[in-house]
Amino acid sequence: MQTEPISKPVDDIELFHRVRSFLTREAELIDARKFDDWKELMTEDLEYKIPVRATRGENTHEDDFLDMHHVEDTKYRLEKRINRLNTEYSWSEQPPSRTRHLISNVQVGNRDADDEYTVKSNLLLYVSEGDDPDHKLLSGRRHDVVREVNGSLKLARRIIHLDNTTLPLDRISIFI
Amino acid sequence: MAASEQDKLRQQASSGALREKANEGTLPHNIFSSEAFFELEKEKIFQKAWILLGHECEIPDPGDYIVRYICDDNLIVTRDESGEIRVFFNECKHQGMKVCRTEMGNTSHFRCPYHGWTFANSGDLTGVPFKHETYDDESISDISLDEPRYDTYNGLIFANLDEDAESLKEYLGDFTFYLDFFVGRSPEGMEVNGPQRRIIDANWKLGSMNTMSDHYHSVTTHRSVSDIDLMEHDEEDAGIAAPRYHVQCDAGGLMMRENNFFKNHEMRDSIKQAFSEEQWDLVSGDIPMGGNGSMLPNVNMLAARVQVNEGESAPITYIRTYRPIGPDKTEVYTWHVVEKDAPEELKEKSRQGYEMAFGISGMIEQDDLGNWSSVTEVGKGGATGNHDVRIDMHLKQEEASDWDRPGKAYKAPFSEVNMRYFYNWLFDYLEA
Ligand code: FES
Ligand SMILES: [Fe+2]
């Protein structure tokens, strides 16, 4: 269901632009490691999930995921992660990873709830660590729900379908 | 490292010199990075010991299969049409390509893409294209995929590449007494979610040593986690420096301490039914015990309670295993484990608690990885590789006299005694 193409794309260019700017701003805050500000862009009932993909059967398709997640966060859990990063002892991010979120192929559709939009985008995430000249790359499709809250947009749900089954990362200590 | 250095390490491993060194409390740093030592481990440990492949619940129905590894050997674990678990080498009996190239699925047969030989999930060759134009009947009768030895314990599926190895039961010995705390907690059995798979730049031994022996690192490595109250606080918990028993028992070791995991467990009543009286007594008696440990050589396990939502905790358990790819490259598999008879809501909370604390994004586990890859990397140094690393904490400590459970134990808040046990076990194989 989440992977179905958007059937009713919005025809409101201004709205499309607002959503696009929201995604850009949000990615910018993560890459600048302003996680406390980033968190403010999330609704209280946030769902933030990265299910584990599997190469199953002969005809693996878009929706082939295990009943397991790499990340399955609520606002509470996301705050725990941010609080941890704010302590002196978050070794996995010391020194901090440098991330670059490239967001493209954005589609915006109306949801049945008229204060919410379905937003889909492609993600290419570049990660550089320490003095390692190599980098890690992750790609995936993001299935978001963005909601109007008091005149501004907030992220209510994000499900990220990474393209890897075995991850090329030794840990997820960054926000994807 | 120069070839001669590598040969020296290998020679020291076989001759007992390294065991002696470990028992005196040091290891050569390059034990984590040497190619020669790694080749020796692959041959003498991973082709001789019982190695975990997965859990029965990953293949519940006839035809279900998962594909797993022992180092570079690729294995298909399947449930055949009669419901029996079978393990085959993923190697076509014609010219040896993989007959299965997915991670999991359901199929009644595996068809080799090269020349089309087809094998039923009982392993038997059932189809050969142009059979009459290619072979006489005799030369292709009775062909089936090769099978290593395999066996199960409490849902865990193991294989052994050595035809002459002892049975899994003998191999595990009395460690099952403790293994049950993680995988035998329900009369209906346990189930797993996962695995999460990832590649780390660390030697496989570090995780096993760490999980069965190293509570010392928790104080520093996992300091952030106590700062944010990720784990459930226990009023009666005597704190991070409380004494614990460092238990050594046949194919495993673990650290057990006063802990309310079992006492407060939502499934307490059914857990009690699954355990023997002695097991239940240990985890629910006057001083209820819980902990974490490793089954040798490469399976880690832990049970704890995680603060999964505001004001709400859940019991979580993981099983983690390491597939060595190179001395400095390891594939990690982690599964969340839960009682089959737990209510759906508890299963879900437990899985979420696991994902929050352990596994690839877990706030505990993510701080371990950097340590292990750094120890591995420094071991590659031409100079530092020949330095020693220490495993000598409480080297002279006497066995705890009050441990009347299987195996023996040493009592101390922190100790490296189980690391020495790990290496003695390892050298039993390497010297053989
Ligand atoms: S290699 Fe499999 S059919 Fe030839
Ligand atoms: Fe740790």
Side-chain angles (χ1 to χ4, degrees):
Chain A
M1 186 189 86
Q2 288 143 3
T3 49
E4 275 171 19
I6 286 175
S7 55
K8 290 186 292 180
V10 295
D11 48 16
D12 179 340
I13 289 181
E14 197 182 325
L15 172 64
F16 184 85
H17 181 70
R18 268 181 77 219
V19 172
R20 191 75 183 81
S21 305
F22 172 78
L23 296 182
T24 307
R25 169 80 185 134
E26 185 231 323
E28 185 181 34
L29 288 175
I30 304 181
D31 293 341
R33 301 185 74 80
K34 294 188 173 156
F35 302 130
D36 289 312
D37 297 336
W38 178 59
K39 182 181 77 185
E40 295 307 315
L41 301 181
M42 312 287 155
T43 64
E44 290 310 308
D45 61 349
L46 172 74
E47 282 177 64
Y48 204 104
K49 295 182 181 176
I50 310 177
V52 175
R53 187 186 283 282
T55 314
R56 193 161 16 196
E58 298 302 314
N59 309 306
T60 286
H61 54 85
E62 262 291 276
D63 273 327
D64 214 345
F65 295 93
L66 302 181
D67 190 13
M68 173 66 123
H69 302 76
H70 295 303
V71 173
E72 191 174 3
D73 279 352
T74 55
K75 183 100 181 243
Y76 167 84
R77 296 177 202 150
L78 191 79
E79 277 172 354
K80 282 276 185 207
R81 291 185 193 275
I82 294 172
N83 293 346
R84 193 190 86 84
L85 290 171
N86 290 339
T87 71
E88 216 181 302
Y89 303 96
S90 51
W91 306 112
S92 60
E93 280 297 304
Q94 292 181 21
S97 309
R98 288 171 294 270
T99 63
R100 198 64 60 201
H101 285 74
L102 305 178
I103 313 296
S104 75
N105 302 50
V106 178
Q107 293 172 287
V108 182
N110 283 307
R111 267 169 64 86
D112 296 338
D114 52 3
D115 60 345
E116 286 185 348
Y117 314 108
T118 306
V119 181
K120 302 196 177 221
S121 56
N122 283 0
L123 166 72
L124 190 63
L125 174 57
Y126 173 95
V127 186
S128 165
E129 292 179 273
D131 61 354
D132 188 347
D134 273 342
H135 59 269
K136 305 277 165 60
L137 263 191
L138 286 179
S139 68
R141 181 90 171 135
R142 308 194 306 182
H143 304 271
D144 295 348
V145 171
V146 173
R147 189 184 298 157
E148 298 274 8
V149 181
N150 301 328
S152 36
L153 296 176
K154 292 205 171 191
L155 184 69
R157 186 167 86 200
R158 168 162 295 157
I159 296 168
I160 307 174
H161 288 173
L162 294 178
D163 293 317
N164 298 72
T165 63
T166 306
L167 293 194
L169 304 174
D170 64 356
R171 63 186 193 283
I172 298 178
S173 51
I174 52 173
F175 293 106
I176 291 179
Chain B
M1 200 188 346
S4 59
E5 283 293 326
Q6 298 207 8
D7 292 345
K8 197 173 115 199
L9 193 59
R10 201 176 160 124
Q11 196 271 329
Q12 287 176 334
S14 329
S15 70
L18 281 185
R19 182 202 291 267
E20 208 172 302
K21 191 172 160 64
N23 285 330
E24 284 163 10
T26 59
L27 299 168
H29 198 156
N30 56 24
I31 202 168
F32 302 118
S33 52
S34 147
E35 292 281 352
F37 193 77
F38 179 71
E39 289 305 319
L40 191 66
E41 288 174 334
K42 266 178 34 176
E43 172 194 330
K44 297 229 166 185
I45 298 169
F46 287 90
Q47 293 192 36
K48 305 271 181 202
W50 285 93
I51 303 296
L52 177 68
L53 300 178
H55 192 278
E56 280 179 29
C57 79
E58 294 182 80
I59 46 170
D61 301 316
D64 286 349
Y65 69 89
I66 48 179
V67 177
R68 295 287 148 82
Y69 292 87
I70 297 179
C71 295
D72 301 324
D73 282 302
N74 198 211
L75 300 158
I76 302 171
V77 184
T78 185
R79 201 177 279 277
D80 68 18
E81 299 308 311
S82 71
E84 286 296 308
I85 290 176
R86 309 290 299 266
V87 180
F88 303 109
F89 287 100
N90 190 5
E91 180 199 31
C92 180
K93 293 308 293 174
H94 177 226
Q95 283 173 1
M97 90 163 268
K98 283 183 178 178
V99 295
C100 177
R101 296 183 296 169
T102 51
E103 283 178 271
M104 57 185 68
N106 181 288
T107 187
S108 58
H109 65 275
F110 299 95
R111 183 188 293 135
C112 179
Y114 203 167
H115 314 92
W117 283 25
T118 301
F119 301 86
N121 62 12
S122 58
D124 297 334
L125 177 66
T126 53
V128 173
F130 291 99
K131 194 169 166 188
H132 300 296
E133 287 76 11
T134 49
Y135 298 94
D136 53 58
D137 281 353
E138 207 149 296
S139 69
I140 53 164
S141 65
D142 247 3
I143 289 182
S144 56
L145 295 173
D146 289 319
E147 301 178 68
R149 288 181 61 194
Y150 51 91
D151 202 351
T152 62
Y153 180 78
N154 258 343
L156 300 178
I157 306 168
F158 296 89
N160 193 314
L161 301 182
D162 179 9
E163 283 306 320
D164 302 321
E166 59 193 334
S167 70
L168 176 63
K169 198 168 153 32
E170 287 167 312
Y171 177 89
L172 289 169
D174 285 337
F175 186 64
T176 53
F177 181 88
Y178 302 105
L179 187 54
D180 290 349
F181 295 153
F182 308 92
V183 300
R185 291 201 306 255
S186 160
E188 316 229 328
M190 306 292 279
E191 61 185 39
V192 302
N193 302 104
Q196 294 170 320
R197 297 176 60 181
R198 66 191 191 274
I199 306 282
I200 65 172
D201 296 329
N203 184 264
W204 69 272
K205 293 189 288 300
L206 288 152
S208 275
M209 281 166 66
N210 179 282
T211 313
M212 73 191 276
S213 188
D214 192 341
H215 174 52
Y216 189 42
H217 84 292
S218 313
V219 184
T220 303
T221 297
H222 302 306
R223 169 70 189 268
S224 70
V225 162
S226 44
D227 286 1
I228 62 162
D229 287 332
L230 179 65
M231 309 309 276
E232 183 184 57
H233 271 304
D234 213 329
E235 290 303 321
E236 297 132 73
D237 193 328
I240 200 150
R244 54 193 63 212
Y245 290 94
H246 299 255
V247 182
Q248 311 175 341
C249 183
D250 296 330
L254 73 169
M255 294 178 283
M256 299 208 75
R257 67 180 173 96
E258 182 167 3
N259 172 300
N260 280 343
F261 179 81
F262 287 95
K263 209 170 164 186
N264 296 343
H265 201 293
E266 288 80 347
M267 301 304 293
R268 187 186 151 84
D269 293 340
S270 94
I271 296 175
K272 186 176 174 180
Q273 285 174 38
F275 282 1
S276 70
E277 224 169 279
E278 293 74 27
Q279 285 173 317
W280 183 246
D281 178 59
L282 178 59
V283 300
S284 71
D286 292 344
I287 306 176
M289 296 271 176
N292 49 281
S294 304
M295 178 191 145
L296 297 160
N298 64 340
V299 185
N300 304 164
M301 54 207 84
L302 179 144
R305 285 192 82 89
V306 174
Q307 212 64 50
V308 62
N309 293 314
E310 185 87 65
E312 186 179 35
S313 70
I316 67 104
T317 301
Y318 75 68
I319 292 282
R320 177 169 64 201
T321 192
Y322 303 94
R323 169 200 164 205
I325 299 173
D328 59 349
K329 204 165 269 314
T330 302
E331 181 173 358
V332 186
Y333 289 71
T334 48
W335 293 265
H336 162 249
V337 187
V338 71
E339 292 77 5
K340 216 177 257 175
D341 54 347
E344 281 311 310
E345 200 198 330
L346 181 64
K347 287 183 184 174
E348 184 172 275
K349 266 193 307 199
S350 174
R351 184 191 72 224
Q352 291 167 344
Y354 157 82
E355 291 162 345
M356 222 177 145
F358 296 96
I360 186 162
S361 79
M363 284 182 262
I364 294 180
E365 196 162 318
Q366 59 176 269
D367 283 331
D368 285 317
L369 271 299
N371 301 343
W372 303 341
S373 43
S374 184
V375 171
T376 305
E377 187 191 340
V378 178
K380 293 181 199 173
T384 48
N386 288 313
H387 292 174
D388 283 347
V389 297
R390 300 175 62 152
I391 54 165
D392 60 337
M393 195 186 296
H394 291 307
L395 188 65
K396 304 246 179 298
Q397 198 186 19
E398 295 290 322
E399 222 183 296
S401 54
D402 60 344
W403 189 255
D404 52 2
R405 317 287 173 177
K408 54 183 178 176
Y410 297 82
K411 195 175 184 182
F414 312 107
S415 174
E416 282 157 0
V417 68
N418 278 3
M419 295 193 193
R420 298 189 290 274
Y421 186 72
F422 174 81
Y423 281 96
N424 274 288
W425 182 95
L426 213 72
F427 290 124
D428 284 346
Y429 278 80
L430 297 182
E431 291 165 15

